[in-house]
Amino acid sequence: MLTPPYYAVIFVSRRTPVDSEGYAAAAERMLALAQIMPGFLAIDSVRDPTTGQGITVSYWQDEASIANWRQHAEHRETQLTGIQRWYEYYDLHIARVERAYQSAKRLVTSTTGE
Amino acid sequence: MLTPPYYAVIFVSRRTPVDSEGYAAAAERMLALAQIMPGFLAIDSVRDPTTGQGITVSYWQDEASIANWRQHAEHRETQLTGIQRWYEYYDLHIARVERAYQSAKRLVTSTTGE
């Protein structure tokens, strides 16, 4: 379990119906890349395939880690493609986690649903 | 679009395979109830029906609004049932949103995928 304070990037989006054009590969690549970035802590990601609605929350040590990831060259390129092609819309919230709770049952600290 | 600062409650969970026992009705009732609570701003909720993974992010004016909602009698009762019956696990992060961005395209401010 993560110990506050840490930072969360909440990414809420809806995919376009375009299911080709490299989205799955790019999403997988960004996930792998994020996980080796300095300050990366964990990620939770869920998308409902029937509606295209998705929420991804990534957790980071501090704001500098988030800024560093945002500026990453390959990530920037993918962001641009995402805006132009893969997402009907997105919302982004950068937040400082102040408290955290967890059920007794969870065994893993990070999940990706896609 | 919401203007920071505001608060986000990030609820990450996995549903048990139990699909009856009143979950859908309770989820709908809690959503309706949250939306009329003082300080409620918006909610985003997605669950992947194939994996049971879900993320719900509710947005609130301040911490007092969140505390008030957490203590709401009917909500407390439902929380307890959720822990005992509906969720394999859950993580809860309470965070202060400091910055927010939005794509030009989104037309609605709140979505629920379930």
Side-chain angles (χ1 to χ4, degrees), chain B residues 28-39:
Chain B
E28 200 174 311
R29 168 75 182 147
M30 286 305 108
L31 177 65
L33 202 55
Q35 288 176 336
I36 57 168
M37 294 295 287

Side-chain angles (χ1 to χ4, degrees), chain A residues 6 59 63 70 83 87-96 98-103 105-106, chain B residues 6 59 63 70 83 87-96 98-103 105-106:
Chain A
Y6 49 88
Y59 308 93
E63 286 199 281
R70 191 190 319 122
I83 292 166
Y87 296 116
E88 274 185 14
Y89 71 77
Y90 68 85
D91 287 342
L92 201 57
H93 309 262
I94 317 286
R96 182 179 190 272
E98 298 178 347
R99 284 171 295 133
Y101 309 91
Q102 193 168 44
S103 62
K105 296 180 235 169
R106 189 170 193 184
Chain B
Y6 49 89
Y59 308 92
E63 286 198 281
R70 190 191 317 121
I83 292 166
Y87 296 117
E88 273 184 16
Y89 70 77
Y90 67 86
D91 287 342
L92 202 57
H93 310 262
I94 318 285
R96 182 179 189 272
E98 298 178 347
R99 284 171 294 133
Y101 309 90
Q102 192 168 44
S103 62
K105 295 180 236 172
R106 189 172 193 183

Side-chain angles (χ1 to χ4, degrees), chain A residues 60-113:
Chain A
W60 302 84
Q61 208 143 40
D62 48 38
E63 286 199 281
S65 311
I66 295 171
N68 182 48
W69 169 231
R70 191 190 319 122
Q71 297 302 324
H72 185 284
E74 191 180 336
H75 184 207
R76 282 182 69 94
E77 206 175 300
T78 306
Q79 285 169 41
L80 205 63
T81 313
I83 292 166
Q84 294 171 339
R85 193 178 298 174
W86 294 320
Y87 296 116
E88 274 185 14
Y89 71 77
Y90 68 85
D91 287 342
L92 201 57
H93 309 262
I94 317 286
R96 182 179 190 272
V97 178
E98 298 178 347
R99 284 171 295 133
Y101 309 91
Q102 193 168 44
S103 62
K105 296 180 235 169
R106 189 170 193 184
L107 301 173
V108 290
T109 59
S110 180
T111 55
T112 53

